[in-house]
Amino acid sequence: MRGAGATSFIGRWAPTAETCAQPGDQAALQITTTDLHGRGLRCVIESIDERGQGYDALLDCETVSGRSSRQVRFEATNETLRLIRLDRPDEAPQRLIRCTALAR
């Protein structure tokens, strides 16, 4: 990944602080430089490109429904992440907050 902001989307994310505090892999979404997992997903980041204020990624995902490719966009600040499904333009972006050590 190029650019200075790549690590901005790396971390543990959930819709609310209460969700961050829930144990297990179902409540929060964990994003690393190579994969994304949680909330019923297990995805490998196949490619990622910096575009403006965010990153467009191609994911190879496995869910209970099977395997699929997904195109997503990560737009992160220090505290929030907008997760946008580029392959589903009618779907509203997900707004997630960064899970901190205090919220776990």
Side-chain angles (χ1 to χ4, degrees), residues 15-17 19 24 27 29 32 49 54 56 59 68 70 76 87 102 104:
T16 65
T19 309
L29 190 63
T32 71
D49 293 305
D56 294 348
L59 308 177
S68 65
R70 297 180 182 202
D87 54 353
L102 296 175
R104 290 184 195 182

Side-chain angles (χ1 to χ4, degrees), residues 25-95:
D25 199 30
Q26 293 302 312
L29 190 63
Q30 180 73 40
I31 304 174
T32 71
T33 57
T34 59
D35 69 352
L36 174 149
H37 63 273
R39 301 175 67 193
L41 288 174
R42 183 158 296 284
C43 304
V44 173
I45 299 175
E46 294 289 328
S47 66
I48 192 156
D49 293 305
E50 183 177 7
R51 299 211 191 275
Q53 298 297 311
Y55 292 84
D56 294 348
L58 177 62
L59 308 177
D60 179 25
C61 299
E62 196 170 323
T63 67
V64 293
S65 307
R67 185 173 218 106
S68 65
S69 290
R70 297 180 182 202
Q71 292 178 300
V72 299
R73 179 167 179 78
F74 303 120
E75 293 178 352
T77 66
N78 287 338
E79 302 302 322
T80 63
L81 173 72
R82 278 177 30 115
L83 180 59
I84 303 162
R85 289 283 306 266
L86 298 174
D87 54 353
R88 292 193 181 170
D90 295 336
E91 190 174 292
Q94 293 180 42
R95 184 187 174 280

